[in-house]
Amino acid sequence: MARFVVRRLAGMVAVLFAVSVVVFFVFNVIPNSDPAERMAGKNATAALVENIEEDWSFDEPLPQQYLAMMGKVFTGELTSYEPEIPVNERIAEGIPATLSLAIGAAAIWMFFGILLGYLSAQRPHGWLDKLLGGISVAGISIPVFLLGPVLIYLLAEQLGLFPNGQYVGITEDPLDWAYHLVLPWLTVATLSIGFYSRVLRSNMLDAMDEDYVRTARAKGLSERQVLRRHVLRNSLIPIVTLFGLDFGATVAGTAIITESIFDLQGVGFYAAEAVGNLELPPIMGITLYGAFFVVLFNALVDVAYAYLDPRVRLGSEAR
Amino acid sequence: MSEPLLSVRDLRVGFATENGLVRAVESVDFDLAPGEVLAIVGESGSGKSVTAQTILGLTRSANARIEGTVRFRGEELSSMPEEKLRLIRCGEIAMIFQDPMTSLNPVYRVGAQIAEAIRAHDGEIGKAGARRRALELLDSVGIAEAERRADDYPHEFSGGMRQRAMIAMALALEPSVLIADEPTTALDVTVQAQILRLLGGLNRERGLATILITHDLGVVAEVADRVLVMYAGRVVEQGTLDELFYDPQHPYTWGLLGSLPRIDRPRPRRLPQIAGAPPSPLAPPAGCPFRARCPHEFGRCVELPGLEARLADAPAHLDRCWLEPEQKRARRQVEEGRIGLEVPAP
Amino acid sequence: MAAGRFLRNRLALAFLGVFVLIVLFVLAAPLWAEHVAETGPNETHTLEKLAIDGEQRDVVTPEGRPIGPVWFDAGGKFFLGADSRLGRDEMVRLMYGGRTSLLIGIASAAITTALAVLLALLAGYYRGWVDALIARTLDVIWSLPALLLGIALGVSLAVGGLKLGPIELSGGSLWVPVLIITVVSIPYVARPLRGEVLALTRKEFIEAAVAQGAGPLRVMLREILPNLSSTIIVFFTLTIANNLLLEAGLSFLGAGVQPPNSSWGTMISVGEELLKTAPLLAIVPGAMIALTVLALNIVGDGLRDALNPRAKIRLEAHAGRVEPEGAAV
């Protein structure tokens, strides 16, 4: 098992290296215009462009440029040019909001996703299944940028039940913190609830056809015991995998749109800002940060999977 | 003759599909006496597995149509509610299946899966007690180092060991009937012999009545007391082991016997087969189901023969063939000393 | 037979109809623009007035408020109102924006699917280092969160455009978002397809074909591809839905469709600023996207069900055998 973990971590590093190279290419090597000009963004002056050229070694060969870029990333010298803010700092400032959004939404979507999926699979094709199925399909079809504004308009503006944005730190006021996050949590969770409930339902229906479920029934277990201990347990394994990746992606800041709509000053919000100003350094930094989390959670998920499915764990020793 | 343990009468099982009603079992009757080994033989699609699973109510589903009676110790199982039926499953009637790899849950340890069966029926025994009993059982079916092995996962067992573990699980609550659905089909021949020996031993030592489902007549010859031959969802012949092997009455049985490779005879140029294929369960033909493939069919065969005893001196040997017993004895001898289905060359 | 099954699925059929209606709706854009609204999607009417019920109303009030939905009161002009201080006809923009969104969605889905099939076939057939290379590349792309990668590419290309040999694209070209979305969504289709091809190539009929002397092209096109066709169809449908969402998200953030082009995504970002006073400006385009995506999802599900029925009983047509628990010998 330990060997497996080590191998996975080594793989992680390799992928991150490849990712950084890709990022490098996207930003510096895309054959179109002068990279320095692009880097300077919207309000470029000649002096700024020259500065950038030197700073980033754009006149040097490619490997040199790559090292220059990575050097900046790791020493925290990556800064956006207008305004001049160190990217790493700003990302760090944004993490609490992003984490709050991710963790809360994740808790909601996992709980309801699994519950709805389980209920659907219990009596397939029944009325409850069809109803929940419809809700699920609707859930995954409503994009965040529709749901968010609708929730804000209905619940915040019209009914005044919830605030329409802003992030309040948990240390400042836990209740207020949660109060401000309810709508964003719902917005992010809705899509995933639909998705997970459908996946779990599908997995459970497949599992119910398996031979070991027939054995479980033949052993004299009650239907509920069969569902919970054999069908559900086995069906959850792929769900754990998906969850790990999803959660990683959310922490990575893919909740960009939600954070923009609800004015939550997280990492995603920062990314949206940078896009608006066409600033490359922050986007570069956030992309690397994001990839790091995705790859990290990928590796974690693999390890978790090995823990949950003994066949994977003991791969080479199986007969 | 003591009261039969299990009594099946006119069992019919159909499944409603979008293409129509699939009639897996048309009509099956048989009894199982205490301590006897009854073999049910037939090819794929004959309905033998469905029959077995229906006994324990494992085929119940929204699109299943089940009729007929299945009486165990006088109680009617086919209409018994799930909560009562589950006590009988494994508790009184246990079942093992064809593929032990897929029949065990891959994410639980083997010992735990056996213990689960025990605790599902015995609320008092507790975790430690169940585990002790599981170890005993593993040991009793011939798994060495049971203590260590109980904590292994199914994929760490070999095929034969897995089947032994399944048998151990089936025996956990000392049932009076064991249904074994093709228990050796997925195993190597040498392992097959071991498992059959184990099953035979269990039957002799504990008086465990066994229903053995198989397509392999060699297996039948090893362990069976009585044999049921099924075709297209019906029983076409039924009798003791000797009766069936030495005096087979139904052409299908001749075909089965004739297609067995024999080590004590010169090798034929081609292994004899039964030409054709079984009828579709969506549209079963009228009359004798074997008609289309039977070289001996004649006018009367358009009428379904009843399952009856047609031999004066063997009242328990039943078959479904209109031919006279002398005709049968003559026609089944395709050549000197060999039984088969081919029409002998003139 | 599969077509019959699909046609019997009334829900899927209904939503297929919805999708067709939406397509017709956006295709009708030039007609509406010319004959009903008498304006283009980018024409501003800030200082103009509209004649409604004898009254003259400002298209955009001096305070900057655009007029709300007029419906048919002005003969169809400004049917959904004006879109912002710029006073553009929202309905016209909705239709033209829909064209852009659907164009990008469908084009990118087509290219993604085609490329994914190619990659999957190559990886699955040749295996070895070819597979390793393709799989690792897909992994790397997949490791970059879709939206972030899309933004990265979007911003990068929006400023400078793309010059690759003979191909030259300006930053504002619609091919840029198509390209970006294609790249970003390839792993989502290619990885599962690759898995299927790997599983298929293990089966004996592939060995048999190769033993008969079939070359790689023949095997891939005649043996593997037909077995993938159901999956490809379903994936294509669902990818259109996915790509629509991606395009909307990218455009909403400003990294997708660039002005002067507009799409449903850009319309939402414009409307979002006026959420308090004119919620419809953000909600209507969003609802259009949601409806289209919903329709595609339901149709995709219907296709999946029709092409791959999960019947507990499967009949083998030629032998007429039935083994309900699947344990045929």
Side-chain angles (χ1 to χ4, degrees):
Chain A
M1 183 72 166
R3 236 179 337 164
F4 180 78
V5 173
V6 167
R7 255 190 307 145
R8 228 24 216 86
L9 288 178
M12 201 177 115
V13 172
V15 175
L16 281 173
F17 172 70
V19 166
S20 70
V21 171
V22 169
V23 171
F24 171 69
F25 267 83
V26 167
F27 286 101
N28 296 351
V29 189
I30 286 195
N32 47 8
S33 52
D34 184 18
E37 274 179 30
R38 252 186 299 137
M39 191 78 59
K42 274 191 188 153
N43 308 313
T45 62
L48 186 58
V49 175
E50 239 185 78
N51 249 334
I52 293 176
E53 258 199 50
E54 229 192 271
D55 215 7
W56 289 75
S57 310
F58 281 137
D59 40 355
E60 310 270 344
L62 281 180
Q64 209 82 335
Q65 293 184 31
Y66 174 72
L67 288 173
M69 175 185 106
M70 292 311 284
K72 283 176 163 300
V73 170
F74 281 110
T75 58
E77 272 178 26
L78 192 64
T79 46
S80 57
Y81 290 99
E82 179 112 15
E84 276 198 44
I85 307 175
V87 169
N88 295 12
E89 266 180 44
R90 188 66 167 71
I91 292 181
E93 274 171 25
I95 287 184
T98 302
L99 269 183
S100 302
L101 180 62
I103 296 179
I108 296 177
W109 90 53
M110 282 308 271
F111 178 74
F112 283 103
I114 293 179
L115 179 66
L116 294 186
Y118 181 81
L119 289 176
S120 298
Q122 260 196 321
R123 251 179 262 287
H125 307 298
W127 67 268
L128 185 63
D129 183 25
K130 294 199 174 138
L131 177 69
L132 293 176
I135 294 177
S136 299
V137 175
I140 62 176
S141 305
I142 299 184
V144 157
F145 38 77
L146 172 66
L147 187 59
V150 166
L151 284 179
I152 291 180
Y153 182 69
L154 288 178
L155 295 178
E157 303 281 345
Q158 298 291 81
L159 297 179
L161 285 177
F162 290 101
N164 65 349
Q166 292 279 312
Y167 173 71
V168 176
I170 188 171
T171 43
E172 287 174 45
D173 185 345
L175 239 64
D176 213 18
W177 167 84
Y179 184 54
H180 275 91
L181 281 171
V182 172
L183 290 185
W185 279 338
L186 284 179
T187 309
V188 173
T190 303
L191 190 141
S192 295
I193 290 179
F195 178 70
Y196 280 93
S197 75
R198 267 149 61 94
V199 172
L200 182 63
R201 174 188 180 275
S202 167
N203 288 353
M204 282 181 72
L205 289 182
D206 281 341
M208 295 204 268
D209 280 345
E210 294 279 348
D211 286 348
Y212 58 79
V213 170
R214 183 180 56 182
T215 305
R217 285 208 186 96
K219 277 199 292 206
L221 296 180
S222 72
E223 199 58 27
R224 253 185 70 215
Q225 284 170 323
V226 172
L227 268 181
R228 265 188 301 125
R229 281 198 234 147
H230 291 266
V231 177
L232 184 62
R233 169 73 170 77
N234 290 59
S235 305
L236 281 179
I237 298 179
I239 300 263
V240 166
T241 313
L242 288 172
F243 173 71
L245 303 174
D246 250 342
F247 186 71
T250 314
V251 171
T254 46
I256 295 179
I257 300 176
T258 311
E259 289 187 17
S260 311
I261 296 178
F262 286 97
D263 216 11
L264 301 167
Q265 314 275 331
V267 177
F269 185 82
Y270 184 30
E273 242 182 18
V275 172
N277 298 331
L278 290 179
E279 276 173 54
L280 288 179
I283 297 181
M284 189 187 293
I286 295 174
T287 307
L288 284 171
Y289 149 90
F292 170 73
F293 269 97
V294 170
V295 171
L296 173 67
F297 273 88
N298 238 303
L300 285 178
V301 154
D302 277 354
V303 172
Y305 201 99
Y307 175 72
L308 288 169
D309 189 341
R311 289 170 291 186
V312 171
R313 197 194 305 176
L314 304 159
S316 51
E317 297 155 37
R319 294 209 213 156
Chain B
M1 168 74 162
S2 49
E3 196 54 44
L5 213 40
L6 193 63
S7 186
V8 175
R9 292 282 177 273
D10 199 28
L11 183 66
R12 299 158 190 268
V13 183
F15 298 96
T17 70
E18 64 178 12
N19 294 326
L21 183 69
V22 173
R23 301 150 91 117
V25 181
E26 287 272 25
S27 175
V28 165
D29 300 292
F30 66 88
D31 287 333
L32 180 69
E36 82 165 333
V37 178
L38 174 69
I40 303 185
V41 189
E43 57 193 289
S44 300
S46 55
K48 49 193 202 298
S49 280
V50 177
T51 303
Q53 291 179 31
T54 307
I55 294 175
L56 278 181
L58 294 176
T59 50
R60 289 181 182 180
S61 75
N63 64 337
R65 313 274 173 263
I66 304 173
E67 296 163 63
T69 74
V70 178
R71 299 187 80 82
F72 174 70
R73 292 220 167 113
E75 279 198 273
E76 180 57 49
L77 297 185
S78 63
S79 55
M80 191 180 280
E82 282 285 317
E83 310 87 62
K84 270 191 83 183
L85 192 54
R86 81 165 190 84
L87 295 171
I88 299 206
R89 290 177 185 153
C90 212
E92 300 274 4
I93 306 178
M95 187 157 178
I96 61 175
F97 301 96
Q98 178 175 332
D99 188 350
M101 181 65 234
T102 54
S103 295
L104 288 169
N105 193 327
V107 306
Y108 290 119
R109 299 175 205 268
V110 175
Q113 296 192 48
I114 300 180
E116 184 185 31
I118 299 172
R119 296 179 68 194
H121 286 87
D122 184 344
E124 322 269 305
I125 195 166
K127 269 175 101 163
R131 180 174 168 84
R132 235 175 300 130
R133 177 100 181 94
L135 292 178
E136 272 170 33
L137 287 160
L138 284 172
D139 195 54
S140 74
V141 293
I143 292 183
E145 295 186 66
E147 176 93 39
R148 190 172 69 86
R149 283 306 194 165
D151 289 331
D152 280 347
Y153 288 96
H155 65 274
E156 296 178 273
F157 273 31
S158 71
M161 284 169 71
R162 273 179 231 136
Q163 198 60 297
R164 287 176 195 270
M166 289 286 295
I167 294 174
M169 194 156 69
L171 298 175
L173 298 143
E174 297 181 1
S176 42
V177 177
L178 174 68
I179 305 180
D181 190 354
E182 311 241 28
T184 56
T185 305
L187 304 173
D188 290 339
V189 175
T190 41
V191 179
Q192 240 182 53
Q194 294 170 7
I195 298 292
L196 287 177
R197 224 174 300 140
L198 175 60
L199 290 174
L202 288 170
N203 166 257
R204 275 187 310 275
E205 291 151 27
R206 304 176 187 215
L208 179 63
T210 308
I211 300 180
L212 178 63
I213 299 172
T214 179
H215 64 283
D216 186 342
L217 284 174
V219 165
V220 172
E222 285 258 347
V223 282
D225 294 324
R226 282 197 310 130
V227 185
L228 227 67
V229 179
M230 278 188 73
Y231 185 79
R234 291 186 202 273
V235 177
V236 296
E237 186 166 354
Q238 178 181 326
T240 67
L241 187 64
D242 286 347
E243 283 168 351
L244 213 91
F245 272 81
Y246 294 119
D247 194 15
Q249 296 294 301
H250 194 278
Y252 180 60
T253 316
W254 307 339
L256 288 180
L257 290 168
S259 61
L260 277 180
R262 296 284 299 260
I263 205 170
D264 57 340
R265 295 195 175 283
R267 237 169 55 184
R269 271 184 308 274
R270 291 184 93 214
L271 207 54
Q273 319 168 322
I274 308 177
S280 161
L282 273 178
C288 173
F290 192 59
R291 227 174 87 219
R293 299 167 87 181
C294 184
H296 308 289
E297 71 103 17
F298 63 105
R300 189 131 190 241
C301 301
V302 295
E303 189 191 322
L304 176 70
L307 185 65
E308 290 159 15
R310 301 162 199 266
L311 300 165
D313 52 344
H317 188 171
L318 315 174
D319 70 80
R320 275 191 203 272
C321 181
W322 291 125
L323 291 170
E324 295 299 321
E326 313 82 57
Q327 288 176 302
K328 286 170 175 166
R329 287 202 176 98
R331 294 181 188 222
R332 73 187 180 211
Q333 295 288 127
V334 292
E335 59 181 353
E336 186 58 50
R338 191 164 74 80
I339 292 178
L341 190 57
E342 311 100 77
V343 179
Chain C
M1 193 174 81
R5 253 197 298 266
F6 183 79
L7 291 171
R8 266 177 275 149
N9 183 345
R10 278 175 297 188
L11 194 65
L13 218 51
F15 275 94
L16 181 63
V18 169
F19 181 69
V20 169
L21 282 176
I22 294 176
V23 172
L24 291 175
F25 173 74
V26 305
L27 285 178
L31 294 173
W32 179 278
E34 202 185 307
H35 299 287
V36 182
E38 291 171 8
T39 178
N42 291 324
E43 288 172 32
T44 62
H45 304 272
T46 318
L47 301 170
E48 291 171 30
K49 292 191 194 287
L50 203 58
I52 303 176
D53 291 339
E55 251 186 70
Q56 288 285 345
R57 289 181 50 192
D58 284 319
V59 168
V60 182
T61 66
E63 296 84 38
R65 271 196 69 176
I67 196 170
V70 172
W71 311 117
F72 279 113
D73 291 343
K77 292 192 197 159
F78 290 99
F79 187 82
L80 288 175
D83 83 312
S84 66
R85 235 173 334 192
L86 296 172
R88 299 176 289 197
D89 189 325
E90 176 80 350
M91 182 63 163
V92 175
R93 283 179 69 73
L94 190 69
M95 296 171 116
Y96 273 96
R99 288 180 122 195
T100 312
S101 290
L102 281 178
L103 190 73
I104 296 179
I106 296 177
S108 59
I111 303 177
T112 300
T113 310
L115 280 178
V117 169
L118 180 65
L119 289 173
L121 285 175
L122 289 174
Y125 182 80
Y126 287 109
R127 295 172 177 257
W129 66 267
V130 174
D131 179 34
L133 181 67
I134 292 180
R136 291 306 134 235
T137 310
L138 289 174
D139 278 347
V140 170
I141 301 179
W142 193 74
S143 296
L144 292 157
L147 211 51
L148 282 178
L149 179 61
I151 292 177
L153 285 169
V155 172
S156 204
L157 293 173
V159 180
L162 184 64
K163 253 187 296 222
L164 200 60
I167 306 174
E168 202 176 307
L169 297 167
S170 82
S173 160
L174 279 182
W175 281 106
V176 170
V178 171
L179 214 66
I180 296 173
I181 294 175
T182 303
V183 168
V184 167
S185 55
I186 282 187
Y188 291 91
V189 186
R191 287 168 113 224
L193 274 181
R194 169 183 167 269
E196 273 206 44
V197 175
L198 281 175
L200 276 173
T201 48
R202 282 211 182 96
K203 299 208 170 156
E204 289 88 15
F205 71 89
I206 300 289
E207 265 186 59
V210 173
Q212 281 183 331
L217 203 63
R218 225 190 138 82
V219 173
M220 288 197 262
L221 292 178
R222 290 281 215 90
E223 309 284 343
I224 305 180
L225 202 55
N227 280 290
L228 286 181
S229 56
S230 323
T231 315
I232 295 177
I233 294 176
V234 176
F235 268 147
F236 175 64
T237 312
L238 296 176
T239 305
I240 301 180
N242 215 47
N243 286 5
L244 273 173
L245 287 174
L246 259 178
E247 180 273 317
L250 285 177
S251 300
F252 173 81
L253 293 168
V257 174
Q258 300 290 325
N261 292 315
S262 70
S263 73
W264 283 335
T266 60
M267 289 176 72
I268 297 179
S269 85
V270 166
E272 212 234 330
E273 292 160 30
L274 291 162
L275 198 56
K276 265 198 254 266
T277 51
L280 281 184
L281 294 176
I283 292 180
V284 169
M288 288 304 286
I289 298 176
L291 190 60
T292 316
V293 169
L294 181 68
L296 285 167
N297 272 325
I298 293 183
V299 170
D301 268 358
L303 283 171
R304 189 194 278 137
D305 282 341
L307 293 166
N308 223 332
R310 270 194 71 253
K312 237 190 156 182
I313 308 254
R314 277 192 187 84
L315 283 184
E316 280 177 333
H318 45 272
R321 294 176 196 180
V322 169
E323 199 62 61
E325 289 298 324
V329 169

